[in-house]
Structure formats: structure tokens, C-alpha cells
Amino acid sequence: MRKQVRILQFLALLLVMTLVAVACSAPVEAPAETGNGAEEQPSGQEGEKIVISGLESTDIEVIVEEIKDLKSVTVNATSVSSSGEENQYTVTGPIFDDLLKKYGKSQDDLSGIRLVAGDGYSIEVSQEILQSRDIILAHTIDGQPLDEKTRPIRVVIPEERAMYWIRNLVKIEVLESAPKAEVGRVLILETLISQANAEDYTYYESTDKAVKVEELLELLALESLPDTASFVASDGFEKNEQLDIFSKGYIKFTGEDAPLFLSPDLPKGMHIKSIYLCSMGDVALVSQQMAAEVLGTKEVKDKVGVDLKELINKAGLADADKYLLTAADGYTVEILREDREKGVVFINSKGQVTTFFEDLPKNTQVKDFLSIEGIE
Ligand SMILES: Nc1nc2c(c(=O)[nH]1)N[C@H]1C(S)=C(S)[C@@H](COP(=O)(O)O)O[C@H]1N2
Ligand SMILES: [Mo]
């Protein structure tokens, strides 16, 4: 008994000593940065670096001068902006593939990259583009060195739209390939938004309504958050955005360009107009209004709306024998696979997205239609 007590006392003492030792050996925290950051972004030419992450186990810092010393190409390139405006440039710089060669890699090996600028702008470049295009790390445009907001490097991808031509490049993130998850649930964006708190949002001269994306994500209650959201706009424009970036913004759902992803903290070039589809992992959001524009409408017993089967197919919903329809208030009803094409998704007189099925009982008319998922 006494012996046991002694052993316990000894063990307790040992534990205390260990904790003290660990605490004392912990590194002293560096004092917080007090500078205004001016020294991190030298306005001079010397020592500027571009970071490449994800290529090797640790980040690579490439001195900009080293990039400029690589063999350059000079090409005429046309930039096309989102509004369709075209501009011709003569750009000079090495190609990204030659930089990668220094690390024993090539563009073909990569499944995606994200270009990050010093002003908060960033954009993902798909594997498709990596495999088919030259990516120029331009240091000279039209024979001139780059201006202050563009230097030290402007990425130019001839034949691709200007949103990829990122100025003030500071980082290239090499992305891991993520297998595309199968879509198991499709939600109607308008109904989801109607469940969130609308805020006034000033957009140019107009005061519109917007909801926080974070709130939409909470409503979705996803089991695991994917890294990216994939968007398709009503004009066919496609783009991926990091979920970290998306979740900090808003969706403006009234007025010009709605449904529009935007944020007061993001450069305008990162806004996404007229969102038709937004896929995140195994969930897809679809806008009934944009679907009506993209897919057209049909009329079933004086209800004019989108064909349900087409809507869910375009959203990538996997085929199933039966489907469960859910309303915003939790009401559910099941339909059979062969009933999909009988359905129309329309806006009722109260402005609610609603389902109507030709020749099916009235209980299949789901008001505030929120989601559809396959069952069995
Ligand atoms: N650093 C940075 N690069 C950027 C942007 C930005 O906001 N910041 N906008 C992009 C977008 S969306 C477009 S359309 C073009 C516009 O290029 P321009 O001003 O030369 O026409 O730059 C791209 N590169
Ligand atoms: Mo743009």
C-alpha cells in the first residue's frame, strides 16, 4: 500500500518535471510584426520572389531575376475580357514549362494550378489549359517593363480570356487532383436563399438584396467541405473557386447580374455573374431562373417552368430508381424514375419555386421546393 503511494508520488513528480521541461524548451514566440509590410513588397527590383507551393514537399522561392534570365519568347497575344473587349499585346517572357523543367517537372504532370496576385486576385488554371496552352511569365509587354500594379510578372495565356492574365503574380500553387464526386443531391438556389437572412447590398447605383455564402453553407450542413466550388454561369462561362474564398462572400439575388457571387473584399474580376450551377462535392445548387434561361421552359397544365428531368440531369444528379423531393419546411414526397419528365419546376403566384407533375396526385406539388435526391 505504502509502496504504491510512493510510486504514485514518484510518477506525479516525473510528470510535473516533464511538463516543466517541455514548457521551457518551447520556442519563444516571435514578437508580432509591427511594420506596415512595406519591407515585404520592395518597390525596387531586387530580391523579389515568386513562391511555388505544392510542387515539392516545401515551398520553392524563385527569385524574379532568375525567371527573367530564362530563355524568353515574344508573342502577339489577344486578350478577351468578360465583356468581349479585345486588346492586342506583344508579350515577352519565359514559359512556365521551362521554369518547371528546372525542377524536373512539366506542365503535363500537373492537374491544376492556382495563380495568386498581391492584390488578392487569384484564379485556378485547369488541367485542360495546362495541357494545351503555353503559359507566359511576361516581364515585358509592348516592349515596356511592367507598371507598378502589374510587376514583377504578368501571366499571359494566349487564346485564353483575360481573367487568366494575372498581374502582380506572387504565388503559383500546384493543386492536387481531386476526383470529382458524384452529385447525390440537387438544391434549388432560390429556395435555399429564401431560408437565409437577406441584407441590403449596394451594387453600383442600386440597392439589392444579398445573403452570406457562409449562411447558405450552414443551411446545407455538408458532411465534409470540399476544397473548391465549381460554377457554371448562364452564358456557359465556367470557373472553379476555392471554398475558402467563396464562403467569405455573398450571393446577390436581386437586380443586375443576379444570382451574383461577390464580396466587398474581392477584386471585381472574381465576381461570378448569373450563376446557373454551383457544385460543391456531392451537392449541386441550381438556379431555377437561370435554368429557365439556359434550358428553356415547358408548359404543363398552365404551369410554365423547367423540365425536372433536364434540370437534374444538367446538375449531374446520378440516376436512381426513386427520388425524394424536400420542401423548405421539411415536407417530403417520393417520385419514381419514370415520373421525372412529367415534372415542371415553376414559380407560383406567391413567388415560391414549386413542382407540378402531370397526372400525379396533388401531394407531389411541392411548394418552396428545396431539394431532390436519389433514394435506393
Ligand atoms: N492582379 C490582378 N490581375 C488581374 C485582375 C485583377 O483584379 N488583379 N483582373 C483580371 C481580369 S478579371 C481581367 S478581365 C484582366 C483585365 O486586364 P486589363 O486591365 O489589362 O484589361 O486582368 C486580370 N488580371
Ligand atoms: Mo475580367
Side-chain angles (χ1 to χ4, degrees), residues 164-180:
Y164 293 107
W165 296 28
I166 163 168
R167 291 189 218 93
N168 185 209
L169 179 71
V170 294
K171 191 173 183 193
I172 300 172
E173 295 171 6
V174 174
L175 306 175
E176 276 171 35
S177 64
K180 260 205 149 198

Side-chain angles (χ1 to χ4, degrees), residues 29-294:
E29 263 192 43
E33 286 271 329
T34 49
N36 58 9
E39 60 273 19
E40 287 157 31
Q41 282 283 350
S43 55
Q45 325 286 308
E46 247 146 74
E48 268 176 314
K49 289 168 190 146
I50 306 275
V51 174
I52 305 178
S53 70
L55 192 63
E56 293 182 346
S57 55
T58 56
D59 285 2
I60 300 167
E61 290 190 336
V62 192
I63 314 280
V64 170
E65 288 306 316
E66 264 175 47
I67 295 178
K68 291 181 177 171
D69 286 345
L70 290 169
K71 178 175 61 80
S72 279
V73 296
T74 295
V75 300
N76 292 320
T78 307
S79 87
V80 182
S81 77
S82 49
S83 56
E85 193 198 329
E86 293 196 4
N87 281 299
Q88 279 276 351
Y89 299 98
T90 303
V91 302
T92 303
I95 58 171
F96 180 49
D97 208 38
D98 282 344
L99 176 62
L100 285 171
K101 272 191 198 131
K102 289 184 62 174
Y103 303 95
K105 299 275 175 19
S106 92
Q107 247 171 251
D108 285 339
D109 303 334
L110 310 183
S111 56
I113 59 172
R114 175 166 279 269
L115 303 170
V116 182
D119 63 354
Y121 184 82
S122 67
I123 187 150
E124 193 177 304
V125 181
S126 67
Q127 184 168 39
E128 200 185 341
I129 293 177
L130 287 170
Q131 291 186 342
S132 58
R133 305 289 192 213
D134 278 339
I135 296 178
I136 299 168
L137 306 171
H139 52 69
T140 304
I141 295 182
D142 291 337
Q144 302 290 319
L146 306 180
D147 63 42
E148 203 51 42
K149 68 170 186 175
T150 308
R151 64 183 315 282
I153 296 289
R154 182 166 197 179
V155 174
V156 172
I157 311 182
E159 318 298 323
E160 292 295 340
R161 40 197 299 176
M163 67 173 190
Y164 293 107
W165 296 28
I166 163 168
R167 291 189 218 93
N168 185 209
L169 179 71
V170 294
K171 191 173 183 193
I172 300 172
E173 295 171 6
V174 174
L175 306 175
E176 276 171 35
S177 64
K180 260 205 149 198
E182 200 169 69
V183 173
R185 181 161 57 122
V186 172
L187 290 103
I188 304 298
L189 182 63
E190 286 83 357
T191 310
L192 183 67
I193 285 173
S194 72
Q195 304 304 297
N197 290 302
E199 299 176 28
D200 283 346
Y201 201 111
T202 307
Y203 188 64
Y204 298 98
E205 261 82 75
S206 144
T207 304
D208 299 331
K209 295 281 180 201
V211 291
K212 285 200 175 78
V213 173
E214 205 163 38
E215 212 183 323
L216 297 184
L217 291 175
E218 275 166 26
L219 289 166
L220 282 176
L222 301 176
E223 272 161 34
S224 65
L225 286 183
D227 291 336
T228 54
S230 306
F231 295 86
V232 181
S234 65
D235 62 357
F237 172 75
E238 292 188 23
K239 141 167 228 197
N240 284 356
E241 193 48 89
Q242 270 183 331
L243 207 73
D244 283 348
I245 294 175
F246 181 47
S247 63
K248 289 187 186 109
Y250 289 79
I251 290 184
K252 184 176 83 67
F253 62 95
T254 66
E256 194 83 355
D257 303 327
L260 167 69
F261 165 67
L262 78 182
S263 162
D265 306 324
L266 290 179
K268 285 208 174 64
M270 290 176 80
H271 297 177
I272 305 172
K273 297 175 181 175
S274 307
I275 297 168
Y276 160 41
L277 287 166
C278 167
S279 318
M280 294 176 277
D282 62 354
V283 163
L285 311 181
V286 60
S287 157
Q288 190 276 347
Q289 289 167 69
M290 293 302 109
E293 269 184 30
V294 174

Side-chain angles (χ1 to χ4, degrees), residues 322-362:
K322 289 192 220 163
Y323 294 87
L324 185 73
L325 278 60
T326 304
D329 64 2
Y331 172 80
T332 60
V333 65
E334 273 179 35
I335 62 150
L336 299 173
R337 180 195 182 95
E338 60 265 29
D339 292 331
R340 289 175 302 185
E341 56 257 52
K342 295 179 187 160
V344 59
V345 182
F346 70 105
I347 314 261
N348 73 6
S349 56
K350 289 182 188 155
Q352 300 164 303
V353 179
T354 305
T355 59
F356 181 86
F357 292 84
E358 186 156 32
D359 306 327
L360 287 193
K362 220 180 158 187

